Amino acid sequence: MFSYLHAFHAGNLADVHKHLGLFLALSLMQRKETAIACFDTHAGSAVYDLNSAEARKTTESDRGIQALWQVRSKLQDPAWQDFFSIISAANGGKTALQYYPGSPAWFARLRRRQDSLTTFELHPRESARLEAWGKRQAARVYVEDGFSGLLRCVPPREPRLCVLIDPPYEVKHDYRQVVDTLANAWRRCRHGVFLVWYPILRERYQDTLIRGVEKSPLQKVLRSELLFDPEPVGQGMLGSGLLVVNPPWHWEEQMNTLLSQALPLWGVGARHEQQWLIPE
């Protein structure tokens, strides 16, 4: 436990896939004025330095956000421009990218006055940085397990809910715990939008998660996968997966559209596959 540090992987292909999905979900939900309670169960340290020793050891961001950033002017869709504006803001508007926003920073940048943000992080080093960031952002930060923390907090007082569940998957039990936490949270707030990120591995540990969700009482679950070809990102990682429970209206079409525009220009040899795991 506590061996995982996201700084080694910040801004990689999987991060871009995950944060694009989160960005679309929250943006589409905000077409209605009613308040949203936002939860990040495994928040990390919020913002990452792409020039840090950890990031440069793996250089994963080079094929991820750095490569996409280089072709951003060719992606004219307004949603892409809004997506890039959040990354630009994290860098003070500078052309060169040094900082990449983690998921709590995406939530914070998109949050409206009526929305709330609650984050969880148990790792000592990550949680200390997250707490310092949270004070500046007026975000609630809990140094505790995000699985149990989420269940303690739902249903929220706000009328709507958006949750990101993204554990480090350091141990195989995480896959089963994601299923149990997701199902229990959904039972308490069936209208909530839940996003679950998972790695696609050669060992197929993700099958425990997928099969578990299929056998659960969950409804309306969309599956989005970004598959890396020919070279995996990270040892044994063949792709990035997202499950979206109750995807907002037009999320499916927009995710397909944006990635179909970007992938030919991105030059990373990835393909996007999307289907309903549990149909509407």
Side-chain angles (χ1 to χ4, degrees):
M1 292 293 290
F2 298 146
S3 62
Y4 180 87
L5 286 173
H6 192 65
F8 289 99
H9 314 289
N12 67 7
L13 285 164
D15 251 8
V16 176
H17 177 225
K18 173 177 62 183
H19 294 140
L20 180 62
L22 175 61
F23 162 80
L24 283 179
L26 203 51
S27 297
L28 291 169
M29 290 178 72
Q30 288 174 340
R31 290 182 175 179
K32 296 181 179 179
E33 290 297 321
T34 49
I36 304 168
C38 302
F39 288 86
D40 193 335
T41 63
H42 298 78
S45 57
V47 178
Y48 300 93
D49 184 349
L50 300 181
N51 292 337
S52 69
E54 294 91 345
R56 297 322 302 158
K57 183 174 182 179
T58 63
T59 67
E60 289 183 18
S61 66
D62 290 358
R63 291 187 67 221
I65 190 56
Q66 295 285 12
L68 183 62
W69 185 255
Q70 296 305 314
V71 299
R72 68 190 183 282
S73 63
K74 300 178 182 179
L75 297 168
Q76 298 300 319
D77 192 295
W80 270 126
Q81 297 311 308
D82 291 341
F83 178 85
F84 290 129
S85 71
I86 292 177
I87 300 171
S88 178
N91 287 271
K94 296 179 181 178
T95 301
L97 289 188
Q98 180 177 354
Y99 298 103
Y100 183 76
S103 49
W106 285 92
F107 272 121
R109 290 280 180 182
L110 290 164
R111 180 181 51 178
R112 304 166 301 178
R113 178 176 297 180
Q114 64 267 41
D115 301 330
S116 65
L117 174 57
T118 303
T119 65
F120 304 90
E121 181 55 55
L122 197 55
H123 191 290
R125 176 175 164 183
E126 299 278 60
S127 62
R129 293 179 177 177
L130 183 66
E131 285 184 302
W133 172 87
K135 290 177 181 177
R136 298 191 298 272
Q137 298 294 329
R140 287 191 290 269
V141 176
Y142 293 106
V143 182
E144 64 177 281
D145 172 65
F147 292 125
S148 58
L150 174 65
L151 296 179
R152 177 173 56 81
C153 294
V154 293
R157 288 180 296 179
E158 292 84 353
R160 293 190 295 156
L161 173 68
C162 183
V163 176
L164 175 65
I165 302 176
D166 174 25
Y169 298 101
E170 282 187 283
V171 293
K172 295 178 186 177
H173 179 65
D174 279 353
Y175 296 93
R176 183 68 246 177
Q177 195 161 8
V178 167
V179 176
D180 294 341
T181 302
L182 177 62
N184 285 328
W186 175 82
R187 287 188 185 98
R188 300 178 190 188
C189 195
R190 296 196 175 204
H191 65 276
V193 175
F194 299 87
L195 296 95
V196 175
W197 181 85
Y198 59 93
I200 300 172
L201 303 173
R202 286 196 182 97
E203 297 85 353
R204 303 198 65 84
Y205 298 141
Q206 68 273 9
D207 288 354
T208 298
L209 169 58
I210 300 301
R211 301 289 86 81
V213 169
E214 287 179 322
K215 294 176 182 178
S216 76
L218 288 158
Q219 300 172 9
K220 293 189 289 187
V221 183
L222 185 66
R223 180 180 185 178
S224 167
E225 294 189 338
L226 190 63
L227 303 170
F228 311 144
D229 182 44
E231 294 294 331
V233 173
Q235 187 174 0
M237 186 170 166
L238 304 178
S240 166
L242 269 180
L243 298 182
V244 188
V245 182
N246 296 322
W249 189 251
H250 294 313
W251 190 97
E252 178 183 10
E253 303 97 299
Q254 284 209 27
M255 191 69 163
N256 257 331
T257 297
L258 293 179
L259 286 175
S260 67
Q261 292 172 0
L263 287 175
L265 300 169
W266 203 344
V268 292
R271 69 184 188 278
H272 181 231
E273 295 183 359
Q274 192 163 264
Q275 62 182 348
W276 284 95
L277 186 66
I278 301 176
E280 294 185 86

